[in-house]
Amino acid sequence: MDGGALQSPVPSFDGNHIAVITDSRLSIRSSVDGDDIQSYVLPPGFAYSCRFIRWYPTTRAVETTTSSDGNSVSHDSSRSSRLLLADDARIIVYDVTKPQACAEITGATTLTKLASIDFGYALDEIIVISDFGWKLQIWSLTTKRAVEIKDPKPVTSSYSYRPSTGHLALLTRPAAHDFLLILAPDSHEILSTWELATADARGVKYSPDGNWLVVWDTASAGCRVLLLTADGHHFKTFSTSEQELSLGVSCVQWGPRSEWLAIGECGRSMTVLSKNTTAIERLTLDGEISSWQENGKSLGPEAMFDEGNSLDLSPIRMSGDGTNPNETTALGLSTQLGHSLDVDDTFRFRRHGQAVT
């Protein structure tokens, strides 16, 4: 979560821990009983200048170490809970299993502010994007060095990691055209470069099975989405016809098994495509949207929810990265679409690591 000083508590991806910043300390608390698991003293004034709190996504769960023969070895690190705190001058990395900070990076940006920061594909990597798209840095906490790439798109959706392999797809704009770079894992060597037929690409995302890439254009270009192969070759382009009025793409989301692609538009429309980019349904949300919120009366693993009519909550939300169909969360599917949206009449939630219906 970005923001000003003393941010709101930020939960970990697995829901087991909560990071809380006070005047001078970072506290890691249990989500079950609220007890402190770790407490760290922050540098003077850092609690007020901190703009980013990021947990490592447990869905990636990859840690790279060096073996005795000098080769890189990847390990499953799904049980590791690491997080970073950052302002515009300093990045501090913590691990809830250790009483002290794991690493600290200073001078990641000098002339500009941070536009985006997050963990890389591996547990010991941090990816930093400078404001105005000046440069992207991939810091290694093992080698204490960074790889720099010029002219990245200064948006959080400008890069995506390929599941299981860690290849990085990155959008750049060195001049008047958009380019897609495919980088190798570990070394971050540029494997291929592709010029895109977009006006101003706003995001890129790998499918959960890693076989496809989707790139969506700026909203001013209308509803325009490019489907690419995993290595960047253009496959097909989906765009609305001239007869269909579209306010452009707001977001995209792959289905959990990569068989569908949902395109959310800036208006109140959503298009669902199959992988061959054939539009199978175009939904328009009219009227009130029913949303559901946990009411705080839950006991044990069972969660209790109250119905509301808040437009602040999305009608459909995908939790996690979509790779696990059991972690799909549906909220507010009772909408006035003129027809029913079949989800087996089941609302599935995850609370304290357990699925609840």
Side-chain angles (χ1 to χ4, degrees), residues 157 201-205 214-218 224-225 249-252:
S157 56
R202 304 308 298 166
V204 60
K205 183 177 291 188
V214 61
V215 176
W216 60 98
D217 210 343
T218 182
R224 182 176 175 83
V225 175
V249 179
S250 173
C251 59
V252 302

Side-chain angles (χ1 to χ4, degrees), residues 110-187:
T110 54
L111 300 179
T112 62
K113 294 183 177 182
L114 294 182
S116 174
I117 184 171
D118 207 341
F119 283 99
Y121 183 76
L123 188 65
D124 58 355
E125 291 180 353
I126 295 176
I127 186 166
V128 180
I129 299 180
S130 301
D131 209 359
F132 306 114
W134 180 37
K135 64 180 178 180
L136 175 142
Q137 296 174 305
I138 305 176
W139 285 87
S140 171
L141 302 181
T142 303
T143 64
K144 300 179 181 179
R145 296 181 179 180
V147 175
E148 290 190 1
I149 300 174
K150 298 293 185 181
D151 306 310
K153 289 275 190 173
V155 291
T156 56
S157 56
S158 64
Y159 63 90
S160 178
Y161 284 100
R162 187 184 185 192
S164 74
T165 66
H167 288 81
L168 176 63
L170 173 66
L171 295 175
T172 64
R173 192 177 180 88
H177 299 281
D178 292 329
F179 289 86
L180 175 69
L181 308 184
I182 305 296
L183 281 67
D186 299 330
S187 67

Side-chain angles (χ1 to χ4, degrees), residues 253-307:
Q253 178 64 56
W254 286 99
R257 298 181 183 86
S258 307
E259 70 276 53
W260 313 117
L261 179 65
I263 303 172
E265 300 181 31
C266 294
R268 297 176 61 84
S269 298
M270 180 180 70
T271 301
V272 182
L273 310 176
S274 61
K275 282 191 295 190
N276 62 0
T277 65
T278 300
I280 61 170
E281 184 111 41
R282 186 179 177 89
L283 308 177
T284 302
L285 304 180
D286 297 319
E288 292 185 347
I289 300 174
S290 297
S291 58
W292 298 79
Q293 289 181 298
E294 191 169 358
N295 58 20
K297 301 178 182 179
S298 304
L299 297 175
E302 296 184 358
M304 300 178 64
F305 298 82
D306 290 334
E307 184 178 3

